[in-house]
Amino acid sequence: GQNIDQPTEMTATEGAIVQINCTYQTSGFNGLFWYQQHAGEAPTFLSYNVLDGLEEKGRFSSFLSRSKGYSYLLLKELQMKDSASYLCAAPNQAGTALIFGKGTTLSVSS
Amino acid sequence: DSGVTQTPKHLITATGQRVTLRCSPRSGDLSVYWYQQSLDQGLQFLIQYYNGEERAKGNILERFSAQQFPDLHSELNLSSLELGDSALYFCASSASGGAADGYTFGSGTRLTVV
């Protein structure tokens, strides 16, 4: 089976740093994705980790530990426009489709 | 513009009716995926097509069906609609049939069943 868990909601203030955690259980492993989704809009790709460690991309970084079944998305220098849902996803066992967590809704306030 | 085109953007219909949602993948992409997103649910995988053939099935109801045509566009047919079918329906495409390539999503069709 496959299970992806992430917190439902988080709040933070402008300029701060926030870490959104994701734990996953998969029969096989083919990498872990993070997507951003603003309300009513399409999810957009943020990052993909297949090896352990931290991948940095501007204000956003993503970390993966395969042995712990754990990933996090780190958002620095938060801006109001970062208010969105952040979705953790992993390929299914067959590697044919992405299975998504329910998403973490991040609210950034001034 | 992501390059994945979904029509219509909004659809309002009555219970018991049948609707067709359309998706054109990004140029060069062979795989099309359909997802349903309800208010309290995450993105639920429905079905995948690759180069005209069904590749994978998720939690798709028997009342729902899909196909991919020779020009690679895809249609999702929803019949005997119920109130609970109200949701955002997303189409995504990728170059290959493997999910590890990641997806590009369309802007979605918001279906409201009244």
Side-chain angles (χ1 to χ4, degrees):
Chain A
Q2 196 156 7
N3 197 39
I4 297 175
D5 288 313
Q6 46 182 135
T8 305
E9 292 180 340
M10 297 185 72
T11 59
T13 54
E14 265 187 309
I17 299 173
V18 70
Q19 177 175 312
I20 302 174
N21 296 324
C22 169
T23 57
Y24 63 90
Q25 294 171 322
T26 57
S27 303
F29 182 74
N30 280 308
L32 195 115
F33 290 81
W34 284 95
Y35 280 79
Q36 180 192 58
Q37 185 180 25
H38 286 97
E41 298 183 10
T44 55
F45 171 81
L46 287 178
S47 68
Y48 172 55
N49 293 66
V50 66
L51 299 175
D52 289 352
L54 187 68
E55 297 257 352
E56 298 187 67
K57 196 187 291 186
R59 294 190 299 116
F60 292 4
S61 304
S62 55
F63 171 84
L64 177 67
S65 168
R66 289 174 295 172
S67 61
K68 295 181 179 176
Y70 168 68
S71 174
Y72 68 72
L73 182 68
L74 193 70
L75 293 76
K76 302 176 188 174
E77 300 168 17
L78 281 172
Q79 302 174 10
M80 299 291 284
K81 67 178 182 179
D82 297 329
S83 293
S85 183
Y86 292 86
L87 311 174
C88 177
N92 61 3
Q93 185 176 357
T96 51
L98 284 180
I99 304 303
F100 286 82
K102 290 191 175 182
T104 299
T105 300
L106 173 66
S107 299
V108 179
S109 59
S110 56
Chain B
D1 181 7
S2 68
V4 180
T5 304
Q6 285 189 251
T7 57
K9 291 198 182 309
H10 301 277
L11 201 48
I12 301 175
T13 190
T15 53
Q17 294 299 304
R18 181 180 189 275
V19 297
T20 298
L21 312 184
R22 183 188 168 102
C23 169
S24 293
R26 205 174 47 164
S27 178
D29 285 356
L30 299 178
S31 257
V32 169
Y33 306 80
W34 286 98
Y35 283 81
Q36 179 193 57
Q37 188 173 42
S38 308
L39 273 175
D40 296 330
Q41 297 291 323
L43 279 163
Q44 299 289 312
F45 170 61
L46 297 178
I47 198 164
Q48 177 207 6
Y49 280 83
Y50 175 74
N51 204 21
E53 305 260 333
E54 182 184 303
R55 173 66 70 91
K57 251 183 177 177
N59 301 323
I60 188 166
L61 300 171
E62 285 193 14
R63 301 184 284 109
F64 295 2
S65 65
Q67 54 184 328
Q68 186 179 29
F69 294 86
D71 67 352
L72 301 177
H73 91 271
S74 177
E75 292 180 358
L76 178 67
N77 300 297
L78 315 175
S79 62
S80 303
L81 284 167
E82 302 174 359
L83 295 178
D85 297 326
S86 296
L88 261 173
Y89 291 83
F90 286 105
C91 164
S93 72
S94 70
S96 72
D101 291 342
Y103 299 162
T104 300
F105 281 87
S107 57
T109 293
R110 182 175 293 280
L111 173 66
T112 302
V113 183
V114 297

